Amino acid sequence: MIEICAVGGYTEIGKNMTAVKIDDHVIIIDMGLHVDNYISFTNDEDLIGISPQQLRKAGVIPDDTVIEKWKDKVALITTTHAHLDHIGAIPFVAPRYHAPLLMTPFAAAVVRAIASDEELKLSNPIEIIQPNSSFSVTNDIKVEFISMTHSIPETNMIAIHTKYGIIIYALDFKLDDNPIIGKKPNYKRLEELGKTGNVLALIVESLRAGEAIKTPSEGVAREMLRDVLLGTQSEGKLIVTTTFSSHLARIKSIVEFGKKLNRKIIFLGRSLAKYTAAGEEVGIIKFSDEVKIIKYGNQVKKFLKKINKSNAGEYLLVVTGHQGEPKATLAKMVGEYNFKFAPEDIIIFSCNIIPSPINEENRRKLETKLSAKGLRIFKDIHVSGHAAREDHRDLINLLQPKNIIPAHGEQQMTSAYASLAKEKGYKLGKTLHMLSNGSFLQLK
Ligand SMILES: [Zn+2]
């Protein structure tokens, strides 16, 4: 029999974690952080010295006590990609289980860097898997990684092959034929699996299921950046860009246009240094020949003092702090570093505001301060990494799953997914299952 436990990320955004029990073996997919709860709880500091119990209580990590009775059956912990809401809780939660971690080279490099930042020892062995390959858990359970596109390198869908059928875990993804880094989605394999008629269930993200579009390609974000960086008069002006530190495809485009402008490209901030190092370690990118990376606050401050009116036009800075986080470099430039911007220096937000009251307030405060200095602000130079309704429809058509379980989203998002599934003929409670955190579903 197959039983699925929705541990975290169901009817909320964050701390994704799902457990799939196949007879006597349990596979856990994702152990994520709740990023908003994390920020409120820690005020953006590290979590050093805080116990998993405290973090669970504060809703920062998933409440895995709901699968306590399965604890000794856990055979594998795996993850689809290296975003914090999928892997950030691994150093806190995984050591409770005597099971190996299965992840791609990039995700493994990021998990090791997080554990080292938090001064935690990761006792679980790490098994490395390449996209488009498989790992045998037992003689009749196999985990397959299917190459996918999103907003971070080496994203996969996970197919768990069992004697009862195939379970597909699709958190997170978009269907992008021009991803800038990495391959296109492996449509062929998805279609093959669909054609077996044996996909028992699809567990799928819901974040943008309510948007009746196909999410534009990362190639579109690259053209938006080209427009702003190469098509705006910027001579003599400082250019400051900010984006998601883990979005190496986006950063690659920024670096390439920065080179076209003959600017010295400087990365400022710890998380940019962390993801760049992980990407270089596994050979996805090679920025360090072209870019100077300054990691720590005191060195950042020292470097910024060197930039002034006479040399500002030589630089393109990539900085942390796209959501206006008070402890990140961009907020500090207008705060404690008291950086001397000149009027009409350029600030590019290559991101959206992730909707939450904290982010909206932080960004509002930051933009007010930037505007007061007479800067030119370019916002929303961005496309999402998440599937919208028409991508979701394609995925259902490719896989033809017997059951659908919407995950990773607040209620209005999972409901939007449900309305698409109903349109496709799925029946609530029979083949369409709405789970909440801590609930269980038996499939066969
Ligand atoms: Zn993600």
Side-chain angles (χ1 to χ4, degrees):
M1 189 181 70
I2 290 191
E3 210 172 342
I4 291 169
C5 178
V7 183
Y10 291 76
T11 62
E12 65 181 344
I13 299 173
K15 61 179 163 73
N16 293 297
M17 179 166 167
T18 299
V20 180
K21 182 167 159 291
I22 309 115
D23 297 327
D24 274 334
H25 294 92
V26 173
I27 295 172
I28 293 174
I29 313 177
D30 288 342
M31 289 179 171
L33 282 184
H34 194 295
V35 177
D36 282 353
N37 291 352
Y38 168 86
I39 293 167
S40 335
F41 183 73
T42 63
N43 198 17
D44 219 15
E45 300 288 349
D46 289 333
L47 298 176
I48 296 166
I50 300 168
S51 73
Q53 289 85 339
Q54 284 172 290
L55 294 174
R56 219 179 274 130
K57 207 170 151 211
V60 175
I61 62 173
D63 181 6
D64 63 322
T65 59
V66 295
I67 52 164
E68 199 66 28
K69 61 185 178 188
W70 290 358
K71 204 175 163 195
D72 298 331
K73 295 181 174 27
V74 175
L76 185 72
I77 299 162
T78 187
T79 188
T80 49
H81 66 292
H83 275 150
L84 285 181
D85 53 341
H86 298 259
I87 62 160
I90 285 177
F92 302 96
V93 183
R96 283 179 19 90
Y97 303 93
H98 294 291
L101 294 161
L102 178 70
M103 46 186 62
T104 67
F106 180 68
V110 175
V111 165
R112 286 195 190 103
I114 293 171
S116 138
D117 277 358
E118 306 291 0
E119 296 179 4
L120 290 165
K121 194 179 167 315
L122 201 57
S123 51
N124 313 66
I126 300 184
E127 301 277 354
I128 298 294
I129 185 167
Q130 298 294 338
N132 298 321
S133 62
S134 296
F135 177 89
S136 289
V137 184
T138 67
N139 283 339
D140 54 10
I141 303 171
K142 199 174 75 177
V143 168
E144 179 184 2
F145 272 46
I146 301 165
S147 183
M148 198 33 64
T149 45
H150 181 36
S151 47
I152 189 165
E154 289 184 357
T155 297
N156 294 274
M157 282 187 192
I158 289 179
I160 306 175
H161 296 266
T162 77
K163 61 183 176 189
Y164 303 105
I166 305 161
I167 309 285
I168 304 224
Y169 184 86
L171 273 66
D172 302 329
F173 79 102
K174 74 193 259 190
L175 299 176
D176 186 346
D177 286 357
N178 186 12
I180 308 298
I181 285 181
K183 292 183 184 144
K184 290 179 192 180
N186 189 348
Y187 299 109
K188 190 169 154 264
R189 184 60 182 149
L190 296 175
E191 195 176 1
E192 274 170 15
L193 294 177
K195 280 191 173 150
T196 64
N198 201 24
V199 177
L200 179 61
L202 169 65
I203 304 167
V204 60
E205 69 144 301
S206 311
L207 285 174
R208 303 179 87 92
E211 293 177 36
I213 57 164
K214 172 176 168 58
T215 299
S217 163
E218 181 58 23
V220 173
R222 183 181 168 87
E223 290 311 306
M224 293 168 85
L225 272 170
R226 186 200 301 274
D227 255 356
V228 173
L229 282 166
L230 305 186
T232 301
Q233 289 176 17
S234 61
E235 209 173 313
K237 302 296 177 191
L238 178 67
I239 302 178
V240 181
T241 58
T242 183
T243 187
F244 303 91
S245 298
S246 59
H247 202 329
L248 296 184
R250 186 69 53 82
I251 295 170
K252 182 170 183 258
S253 297
I254 294 170
V255 168
E256 286 175 12
F257 296 132
K259 274 166 62 189
K260 281 213 165 106
L261 289 167
N262 287 321
R263 297 219 172 204
K264 293 176 191 153
I265 304 162
I266 320 284
F267 289 3
L268 302 175
R270 245 171 35 154
S271 67
L272 274 163
K274 178 161 68 185
Y275 287 101
T276 301
E280 296 211 347
E281 187 186 322
V282 302
I284 294 171
I285 43 135
K286 188 91 185 82
F287 292 151
S288 54
D289 293 346
E290 295 153 347
V291 167
K292 185 178 163 78
I293 301 166
I294 304 176
K295 189 172 180 182
Y296 296 108
N298 50 355
Q299 290 155 4
V300 170
K301 194 172 169 182
K302 221 162 131 191
F303 169 79
L304 289 171
K305 277 205 171 134
K306 288 201 313 200
I307 301 181
N308 55 51
K309 252 186 197 159
S310 64
N311 64 10
E314 297 170 12
Y315 290 101
L316 181 145
L317 309 184
V318 183
V319 302
T320 55
H322 54 91
Q323 298 297 309
E325 303 91 323
K327 298 269 166 89
T329 305
L330 186 54
K332 281 187 177 172
M333 284 176 83
V334 284
E336 69 173 88
Y337 297 162
N338 195 22
F339 180 76
K340 301 279 177 271
F341 284 105
E344 299 197 349
D345 278 345
I346 290 171
I347 309 280
I348 300 168
F349 287 93
S350 189
C351 60
N352 59 335
I353 301 179
I354 301 165
S356 84
I358 300 174
N359 294 338
E360 280 153 14
E361 179 62 10
N362 282 341
R363 269 289 294 267
R364 193 190 56 74
K365 281 186 189 158
L366 174 63
E367 284 178 37
T368 306
K369 286 181 189 162
L370 294 168
S371 298
K373 292 184 183 294
L375 306 181
R376 298 179 75 180
I377 301 175
F378 297 83
K379 292 197 277 190
D380 300 319
I381 308 302
H382 180 66
V383 299
S384 171
H386 293 278
R389 190 178 179 94
E390 293 312 313
D391 306 273
H392 284 301
R393 188 189 304 274
D394 279 343
L395 187 67
I396 296 173
N397 289 342
L398 283 165
L399 292 173
Q400 301 166 45
K402 292 174 184 162
N403 293 277
I404 289 183
I405 303 159
H408 194 352
E410 289 167 353
Q411 205 197 333
Q412 78 269 20
M413 299 165 183
T414 51
S415 298
Y417 195 101
S419 83
L420 170 68
K422 285 176 195 162
E423 196 183 306
K424 301 287 297 169
Y426 292 84
K427 299 267 181 291
L428 190 63
K430 291 202 169 76
T431 52
L432 169 63
H433 311 276
M434 308 304 283
L435 304 187
S436 52
N437 286 351
S439 65
F440 290 80
L441 172 71
Q442 290 185 356
L443 280 177
K444 230 174 195 181

